[in-house]
Amino acid sequence: MSTREELVQSPGAAGSVVVLCLAAFVVMIDSTVVQVMVPALTVSFDAGLDDVLWVFNGFVIAYAALLITAGRLGGMYGPRRLLLAGVVVFALASLAGGLAPALPQLVAARVAQGVGGAMIVPQTLTLIAAVFPAERRGAALGLVSATMALAAVLGPVGGGLVVATWGWRWVFLVNVPVCLAVVVLARRWVPSGGTAVRTRLDGGGVVLIGTGLAVVAYALVGEGRLLWLVPAAGLIAVFVAWQRRHPAPLMPPDVFRERGFLVAGSIGAVQFGVLAGLMLLVSVRIQGELGGDAIDTGLALLPMAVAAGVVSPVAGWLSDRIGGGPIMAAGMACLGAGVIGFALPALGTTVAALALAGVGVGLVMAPASTEAIRGLAPHLVPAASGMLNTARQAASLLGVAVIGGIAQHGPGAHPTAAAVLTAVALLSAICGLFLLPRHVSDDALTNRP
């Protein structure tokens, strides 16, 4: 049975995937587009680089801090309702950003965008879990993953073209009609996502984990702030203790009893960390050593994004049939090999290495999500989705911080950075191969010759 046939088995299923891809795309592309706007913003607001960077930092901190809470709220009030609310918040914040008269107002708009993005992204996994049975989710998750991979790379390229043609304000204003389209289409095609579980929100947990994650993000997005990780660790430790005593914890303990969630979720997070570190190495080589700009970096990364986009739906389809463990193991091995290939002195290996890394990314993204929620009860999926996305965001920031710290010692340190990324990737490959069970779908058994 083809991927397309699977997606149209339930009414509106294909339309739901389209809407969720579009919603994820607009969030992801705005998370990567700011780097090409920095020169224009410094001129427009007559501001220094440190001040302008808060246009990026404000988004990241708000986004990372609220993913867990937004996932839980999706379970309480319905994922479609949270998705729609998040899209509206994102649209209004984009409009405010495009019309911002001064830098503080733009930073505030970006924080609001981060809030909206945090409301949107966890609901995509929850809604796919509601629309598709466990043995049919991989293909849909593959399409969403492919969209996010493409958006991460197209952000600098498309954003650069928009800034050069119409100005930086249109990078934000163009989001408004896209968000309106998502709202209209979601109301028509996206189901409610099952029965909302109305429990009392863990307010203390929201404050503790939100503050702790915000401090973690603050520590990792800038230089010289790593000491902030100490109070962040303290807040998270208090949060864990709080969760053990709360009758309706923000992070239900039953989620952590599922081995698939722990192993697949960890591999998915590691993949994001390795990918972020690799993208930083690409940026350093293109913009630092070769004198290019952010658009050149985006173009250099395009083979990786295209490879990930092509492979991800196929990997998701395969994970429905044979389980995600072997696929993720192969993916992390390809990602590690791609990192090593990129670090080789011969620049002729760059395109092939990045394409191989993209194949690895495509092999991991959808199966990681599929396996993480495969064994979870439906009412646990919203909370799990928020935790998975939080782990991935934190791993991305950590990957940039670690590899940035190594790479700042000059080109001679790049092989060391690549070796660290490859070692982590290969260790994850071993975990995927041996720690996850092999699943075979009913269709695979029925169609076996």
Side-chain angles (χ1 to χ4, degrees), residues 74-87:
M76 292 176 60
Y77 298 102
R80 188 180 74 164
R81 185 174 296 175
L82 258 290
L83 176 77
L84 290 171
V87 172

Side-chain angles (χ1 to χ4, degrees), residues 13-110:
S16 297
V17 174
V18 171
V19 173
L20 295 176
C21 284
L22 193 57
F25 182 86
V26 74
V27 175
M28 185 58 63
I29 205 166
D30 259 49
S31 69
T32 61
V33 73
V34 170
Q35 56 183 308
V36 299
M37 299 167 51
V38 169
L41 293 176
T42 56
V43 173
S44 181
F45 294 121
D46 190 23
L49 178 61
D50 289 343
D51 293 329
V52 169
L53 285 178
W54 277 101
V55 176
F56 169 77
N57 295 344
F59 178 95
V60 170
I61 292 172
Y63 180 71
L66 295 175
L67 283 167
I68 289 178
T69 299
R72 193 77 165 98
L73 289 173
M76 292 176 60
Y77 298 102
R80 188 180 74 164
R81 185 174 296 175
L82 258 290
L83 176 77
L84 290 171
V87 172
V88 170
V89 170
F90 198 89
L92 293 175
S94 297
L95 180 62
L99 301 176
L103 187 60
Q105 286 85 345
L106 178 58
V107 172
R110 285 287 288 173

Side-chain angles (χ1 to χ4, degrees), residues 98-404:
L99 301 176
L103 187 60
Q105 286 85 345
L106 178 58
V107 172
R110 285 287 288 173
V111 171
Q113 273 192 322
V115 174
M119 296 169 68
I120 293 169
V121 171
Q123 316 316 323
T124 58
L125 177 56
T126 303
L127 286 166
I128 286 176
V131 173
F132 296 90
E135 67 275 9
R136 293 287 182 269
R137 292 172 188 157
L141 286 169
L143 291 174
V144 176
S145 299
T147 301
M148 297 179 73
L150 286 171
V153 173
L154 292 178
V157 178
L161 293 175
V162 171
V163 171
T165 306
W166 298 309
W168 66 265
R169 294 184 183 275
W170 282 98
V171 172
F172 299 112
L173 294 176
V174 74
N175 292 333
V176 178
V178 177
C179 290
L180 291 178
V182 171
V183 170
V184 172
L185 295 175
R187 291 178 63 86
R188 178 177 180 181
W189 285 337
V190 177
S192 61
T195 304
V197 180
R198 295 297 180 92
T199 59
R200 182 164 61 91
L201 182 65
D202 178 8
V206 168
V207 173
L208 287 169
I209 194 61
T211 305
L213 291 173
V215 176
V216 168
Y218 175 77
L220 295 177
V221 296
E223 296 181 5
R225 301 177 187 161
L226 292 182
L227 286 178
W228 281 90
L229 291 176
V230 176
L235 286 168
I236 293 174
V238 173
F239 168 76
V240 171
W242 177 274
Q243 292 293 280
R244 291 177 176 175
R245 299 187 179 188
H246 199 278
L250 198 63
M251 294 168 55
D254 288 346
V255 173
F256 298 100
R257 297 189 180 104
E258 177 58 40
R259 187 177 68 173
F261 173 82
L262 294 175
V263 178
S266 298
I267 294 173
V270 168
Q271 178 247 308
F272 269 77
V274 173
L275 177 61
L278 174 59
M279 292 176 70
L280 177 62
L281 287 179
V282 174
S283 178
V284 169
R285 173 179 289 183
I286 299 297
Q287 299 183 49
E289 300 173 25
L290 301 180
D293 55 20
I295 298 178
D296 295 322
T297 301
L299 292 173
L301 289 168
L302 199 56
M304 182 168 67
V306 171
V310 171
V311 171
S312 190
V314 179
W317 180 83
L318 284 173
S319 70
D320 289 335
R321 277 147 180 76
I322 66 173
I327 301 170
M328 285 189 287
M332 294 305 292
C334 287
L335 181 54
V339 172
I340 286 295
F342 176 78
L344 293 177
L347 290 178
T349 64
T350 297
V351 174
L354 291 179
L356 180 60
V359 170
V361 170
L363 288 172
V364 175
M365 290 186 74
S369 297
T370 302
E371 294 300 325
I373 65 171
R374 186 188 294 274
L376 294 177
H379 72 278
L380 296 174
V381 172
S385 179
M387 287 185 269
L388 289 172
N389 283 286
T390 299
R392 293 170 179 178
Q393 181 68 16
S396 296
L397 295 175
L398 184 60
V400 170
V402 171
I403 299 305

